[in-house]
Each structure stands twice: as structure tokens, then as C-alpha cells.
Amino acid sequence: MATVTEQSAEPDRIGSVRRGAGIEVEGLTHHFVNEQTGESVHAVDGVDLAIEPGEFVTVVGPSGCGKSTLLKAIAGLIQPTEGQVTADGVVVRGPGRDRGVVFQDLAILPWRTVRRNIAHGLEIQKVPRAERDERTRYFVDLMGLTGFEDRYPHELSGGMKQRVAVARTWAADPEMILMDEPFAAVDAQTRITLQEELLRISTVSNNTLMFITHNVDEAVFLGDRVVVMSRRPGRIKTALEVPVPRAERTLETMAKPDLVAMTERVLHLVREEV
Amino acid sequence: MSGARKVASATAAPAGPVSLPGLSGAWRRRGRAIGLGLLYPLPFLLILLAWVLAKDLFGLSDDVLVTPAAVITSAGELVDFGTLPGDVSLSLKRLAIGSLLAAAIGVPIGLALGFSRYGAMMFDPFLRFFQAVSGIAILPLLLVWFGFSEATLQLVILYTALVPIIFSTMTGVRTIPPIYSQAIETMGGNRLRLVRDVYVPGALASIVVGVRLGIGYGWRALIAGEMLIGAGGLGFMIFDARRFHVIGQILAGMILIGVLYLIIDRLILKPLEDVTVRRWGLQRV
């Protein structure tokens, strides 16, 4: 860290030296048995997807199209029936700290305060106390959680919990960050703030990002590339580059004709699948 | 913390039926807490009333049922003889040792069984089986093995408290949402981390429930055991009193058994719950 802090003040605490970790999904097919209904689910079928190092890929598709299955396979939380996932050139066999996950249901621990939740990844990595505290404080401020450090999750609003979950993953500084509809449960206003925040952090850090959503506007606003999935069994229907560079995007640029056209196109592609 | 409380009182104040001028929110809340606290003794007062009425109405003699006042006199006598404090401390010491051992053994076993779905499945009927075979039911066997000894009494409590503690801990671990462990794994956490950061705190509410049940069952089993073993303790005291038809002493002992349990529960187990699960918002009401 010391060498990194010399370069510039702000961005380095978020993304340390990038090792250029890409993700490669080849022929991913997955079946599982729904434990409640007992029915066999064919979640994804023959998915091929390559995510470049430092790229921000958003994935959209109808509910139940296997988006989460794809993410879990990359995270190593499920063993796919067929195909394989390579992260940074290594075949994925289980979860690892190189692939951080922001879960849809947040998964921040109710028995840890905001501060200790955010510091959790650093604690696991045995980052020295002083540095851990500094990084944690940085993310507390960044996420607008100042004053809430010693609160427990049940004392926070939905939007704040969401920010804690994002901060926890970011503070741990994994090369790849996988986010599963992290803003689905927040109100529209908070969602916009969080999106802008995420966009800002992602441009100053250099993580490889995969972001799952069913919100088309969100997908176009955040991603370098938008991947559209078909309905179950999920396949990659198409992938589209977003014409405006991520660093130049604001809510205002979303009104630009080419972005409006792109959003409509993606919306149309998703609608075909519903 | 205090901020949240202030907000709560600020919103609660206007809704209150009467607003007393000059009385701060904190005082009003304290008054309300005391008011609610008065609910607890009410059922006890009712049974006391029934007791007094029954004695009067049916004209029961002192050989059958004595008055509450006579019970207090009996308790006083026992203290004066010097036997009661010894019996109480002996029983409490036995309970403390037995329950501590049961928790020290039961919690790790429960955690270990809870780690795997199949472990929990496999041991479910097994534990239910032993839950049905109470401490008293194994007493004859223990008497054959260990005689009328202190060891027999300790084992009765240990056995009785162990089963609910294991069962509750195991169930507690199984009901922790798997997403918490997944989150730790994606941050690179190993098995030890999972135990420390997820399983123990996540199952704590259930562990406390198990320990509460365990101590309660253990206390009952101990009293019964003491009656048979004859080596002092509250159980022996009330059983012995029966030989001389000293109803007052029997009732004094019974009341003491209940009161002591309430004190243990309030003084030890509730504070533990308050600083953990209640603070985390996990309280299961």
C-alpha cells in the first residue's frame, strides 16, 4: 500500500495495483433442483462470456433467466454442470478473495457494526490494524455512513445497508467484483445516488466488474458493455458496447440521443424475452 | 444509540394519552416500565389468594395445607436451624457445575453437528430420543453404576442439560442463512473464520435458548435426584420434611426452588441476551 499512496491521494485506497484480471466463461450449463418445489431447473445453457480486465459489464435479462447462476458460477459458489470459468487465467474451483461479491440479499452480518462489517474483508486478509482502520474510515466517508459506524445493520435504512455491503466488498479490494442486483431493494432516489457513486468509484479504481440488474437504464448507465440474456434456460442473446465512455457519463449524458437509442434497443431485446 | 431512543420518545410523546407538564420523557418511560413490571407478580398474587381461600373455604387443617404466613415461619425456622442456607448453596453449586459442563460440552457438539446438513439430519431423531428419556429415567442406571454419590447427581444434571443445549445449538446453526457463510468465503475466509464470525454469533440466540432450557430441566432433575440420593440439597430437604409432615417446610422449599430459578434466569441469562442478540436486532419474540 505504501508505494501506492505516493501516487495520488484518493483513488489508490480503492484500487491498489491492478493485476489485470479478466474473466472467461466457457460453455457454462447448469441444472439444479429447486429444493422447495423439487423440480429440476435448467438455469443456464451454453453461456460463453469474456470480460476484459478492468471492464465493467452489466448483465440484463428477464427474471429467472439464470443471471444469478452465472454470477455464482464465476464466484465459485456453485459447481456448474458443464463448462468452466477462468478468472485471471486460473480455473475457478471455489470462492476466493480475488472475486468479491455484493449479494442481492446483502449478506452483511447483523452482529457486526457498520465499521466491523466494512472492515471484515481486511480483517480476514490480516491487514494491520492502523491501515485497516484508515481504509475503513475512508469507505465510511465515501459511502456517506459517517456517524453510523457503530450502528448495527438493523438500525439502518435499506439504502444504508446497501452501501455497507458495497463498501465491504470494495474495501477488501478484490480484482474482480461481482454484483447481483445490489440496488434492487432501494428507493429510486437512493438508487440514483448509489449508481453515481458506483460509477465514480469504478472509474477511479480499475476493478473488473460484473453487475447484474433487471433495470435496463441502470445497465446502460453503468456498463462499458451490456450483455442481454434470454429467458430460461439462459443464453447470451447479445452484447452491446455503450457508446459513451464510462468516465464521461452523468445523468445528463443519459439524455444524449445515442444513449437513449441504445437504452430503447436493450429494452426491446429484453422485452422479447418476457 | 441514545439518538435512536430520543427519536423514539419524541414520536411517542404526542401520541401519549396524557402529557404531564414538567415530566420528562425519560421519567415517563421509567414510570411505564414500572407499571408494566407490576404485571409480573399478579398471577402469583392470584394463586396466593386461591391458596388462602381454599384453606378457609374447605376448612383444611394444618396437616393438609398451612397458611402462607406459616410457610414464612417454617422458612425462618430452617434458617435458624442453619440447614437451609447449606441446602440452597449445595443445590446451586451442583447446578452450576452441571450446567457449565453441559454448556462447555454441548455447544461445541451442537456447532459441529450443525455444520453439515446431513449431520443435523442424522442426529435429529437421536437427540429427540434422548430428550424423551429424562434425567430421572436414567437415574436408576446411574445409581447402579455410581451409587448414591455426588457423581450420580452431577451426571443427572449434565445429561439433562446437555440434550437441549446440543439440539438448540445445532438447529441454530442450521437456520443461519447460508448467504452469510458465502459472503465470508468470497472474502477468502476459512473454516475457522466461519465458525468465529458466522456460526457462533449466528447461533447465539438459539444457544441461549438451549442453555436456558438446559438449566431449567437440569434444575428439575437435580431436585428429583436429591430426593433419592439423600446427600443434602433442596430436594432432599423437602423430601425429608415429608417424613415429619412438615407441610410448611415442603412448601417453603418448593417456593424457593421456583424463586431461585427465576433469579438465575433474570440475573444470568437475560443480561447475556440483552448484550448480544437483542442489540443485533435478532431477538426472537
Side-chain angles (χ1 to χ4, degrees):
Chain A
M1 277 317 288
T3 53
V4 186
T5 3
E6 282 162 25
Q7 294 168 2
S8 68
E10 198 205 26
D12 302 311
R13 263 174 237 163
I14 310 164
S16 55
V17 189
R18 283 295 135 223
R19 291 134 293 218
I23 298 165
E24 200 120 4
V25 179
E26 291 163 280
L28 182 79
T29 296
H30 191 65
H31 300 260
F32 66 88
V33 177
N34 183 322
E35 292 202 0
Q36 266 122 51
T37 60
E39 65 167 331
S40 175
V41 180
H42 188 179
V44 288
D45 186 69
V47 168
D48 292 304
L49 176 69
I51 302 176
E52 297 296 314
E55 191 183 17
F56 194 147
V57 165
T58 51
V59 180
V60 285
S63 307
C65 75
K67 300 183 294 263
S68 294
T69 304
L70 172 63
L71 181 136
K72 280 182 188 158
I74 297 171
L77 294 170
I78 54 166
Q79 289 303 313
T81 316
E82 276 172 54
Q84 71 171 23
V85 178
T86 320
D88 201 12
V90 182
V91 175
V92 168
R93 303 212 184 281
R97 56 157 290 224
D98 57 329
R99 283 153 288 132
V101 179
V102 180
F103 293 89
Q104 191 173 1
D105 327 325
L106 302 182
I108 53 174
L109 302 180
W111 42 87
R112 281 188 168 235
T113 58
V114 166
R115 191 202 310 274
R116 296 202 63 222
N117 261 301
I118 296 177
H120 208 162
L122 301 168
E123 215 181 290
I124 291 170
Q125 292 168 32
K126 299 197 168 64
V127 171
R129 186 61 181 263
E131 191 189 330
R132 197 165 78 202
D133 289 350
E134 196 201 321
R135 279 173 71 95
T136 306
R137 208 172 314 123
Y138 174 79
F139 279 97
V140 163
D141 291 344
L142 184 74
M143 291 294 175
L145 292 164
T146 315
F148 293 88
E149 296 94 330
D150 297 316
R151 296 293 181 87
Y152 286 92
H154 76 104
E155 300 172 290
L156 306 177
S157 69
M160 288 171 101
K161 281 185 225 173
Q162 219 94 18
R163 279 179 269 164
V164 175
V166 173
R168 175 177 70 173
T169 305
W170 238 284
D173 192 27
E175 286 113 307
M176 294 155 267
I177 296 180
L178 314 166
M179 306 175 93
D180 192 358
E181 302 202 30
F183 307 150
V186 294
D187 60 278
Q189 194 47 52
T190 313
R191 178 184 265 244
I192 290 167
T193 314
L194 288 171
Q195 285 167 354
E196 284 176 327
E197 207 62 48
L198 177 61
L199 200 59
R200 197 173 71 77
I201 306 169
S202 75
T203 47
V204 291
S205 77
N206 233 335
N207 310 70
T208 305
L209 279 141
M210 180 168 126
F211 186 105
I212 286 175
T213 177
H214 57 249
N215 182 323
V216 171
D217 290 313
E218 185 170 69
V220 175
F221 181 53
L222 294 173
D224 295 320
R225 195 152 51 109
V226 179
V227 170
V228 183
M229 283 183 76
S230 72
R231 66 170 164 276
R232 191 185 286 168
R235 295 185 182 90
I236 304 276
K237 190 176 162 115
T238 185
L240 301 162
E241 296 278 340
V242 183
V244 177
R246 222 191 316 151
E248 291 167 24
R249 259 176 249 162
T250 60
L251 273 185
E252 287 72 49
T253 56
M254 288 302 284
K256 279 185 163 182
D258 45 354
L259 279 184
V260 172
M262 160 128 195
T263 308
E264 269 168 18
R265 192 156 160 228
V266 176
L267 198 59
H268 180 72
L269 287 164
V270 174
R271 280 223 180 111
E272 284 177 352
E273 297 299 328
V274 180
Chain B
M1 280 283 183
S2 68
R5 272 194 211 132
K6 264 174 218 145
V7 171
S9 72
T11 50
V18 275
S19 77
L20 298 171
L23 206 60
S24 80
W27 279 106
R28 212 172 304 152
R29 254 194 329 277
R30 196 165 300 170
R32 190 176 143 76
I34 292 167
L36 282 175
L38 288 176
L39 289 175
Y40 297 125
L42 209 61
F44 291 106
L45 291 174
L46 283 176
I47 196 164
L48 209 64
L49 189 70
W51 172 359
V52 173
L53 281 177
K55 185 164 167 62
D56 252 25
L57 234 58
F58 302 113
L60 302 174
S61 78
D62 281 354
D63 290 336
V64 181
L65 190 67
V66 295
T67 59
V71 171
I72 293 168
T73 313
S74 294
E77 280 165 16
L78 285 168
V79 175
D80 289 341
F81 295 156
T83 55
L84 192 63
D87 282 325
V88 167
S89 65
L90 191 57
S91 288
L92 287 178
K93 203 180 95 192
R94 285 169 175 158
L95 181 71
I97 297 172
S99 334
L100 278 175
L101 266 176
I105 300 169
V107 171
I109 293 179
L111 288 172
L113 293 180
F115 291 159
S116 121
R117 200 170 102 201
Y118 300 106
M121 263 171 65
M122 183 163 62
F123 280 91
D124 187 275
F126 181 80
L127 288 167
R128 282 181 201 281
F129 172 89
F130 282 103
Q131 204 145 39
V133 184
S134 68
I136 300 309
I138 67 152
L139 196 57
L141 192 62
L142 291 174
L143 283 173
V144 171
W145 287 346
F146 302 100
F148 290 82
S149 68
E150 199 60 34
T152 299
L153 276 177
Q154 286 301 336
L155 285 169
V156 166
I157 307 178
L158 175 62
Y159 168 84
T160 311
L162 197 57
V163 180
I165 291 174
I166 296 177
F167 203 86
S168 204
T169 305
M170 179 182 93
T171 313
V173 175
R174 289 317 303 159
T175 49
I176 300 170
I179 196 162
Y180 293 142
S181 331
Q182 289 179 355
I184 305 307
E185 282 171 348
T186 58
M187 290 191 287
N190 55 18
R191 199 75 200 235
L192 186 70
R193 271 281 164 193
L194 288 180
V195 174
R196 234 179 60 190
D197 297 353
V198 177
Y199 295 143
V200 173
L204 201 60
S206 305
I207 293 174
V208 174
V209 168
V211 171
R212 272 178 117 153
L213 283 175
I215 292 180
Y217 295 162
W219 186 229
R220 288 198 230 169
L222 172 69
I223 300 300
E226 283 175 343
M227 290 185 183
L228 266 94
I229 303 289
L234 270 175
F236 174 72
M237 189 275 274
I238 60 174
F239 203 57
D240 202 40
R242 151 211 65 116
R243 289 196 292 151
F244 308 102
H245 293 274
V246 197
I247 304 274
Q249 287 185 15
I250 296 175
L251 287 170
M254 280 170 58
I255 293 166
L256 209 50
I257 289 165
V259 168
L260 285 172
Y261 178 72
L262 284 183
I263 293 172
I264 294 168
D265 197 59
R266 283 275 140 178
L267 249 51
I268 301 169
L269 296 166
K270 244 194 80 335
L272 179 68
E273 228 170 33
D274 286 347
V275 298
T276 56
V277 283
R278 201 179 292 266
R279 220 164 102 214
W280 303 335
L282 296 177
Q283 187 67 22
R284 288 169 199 167
V285 185

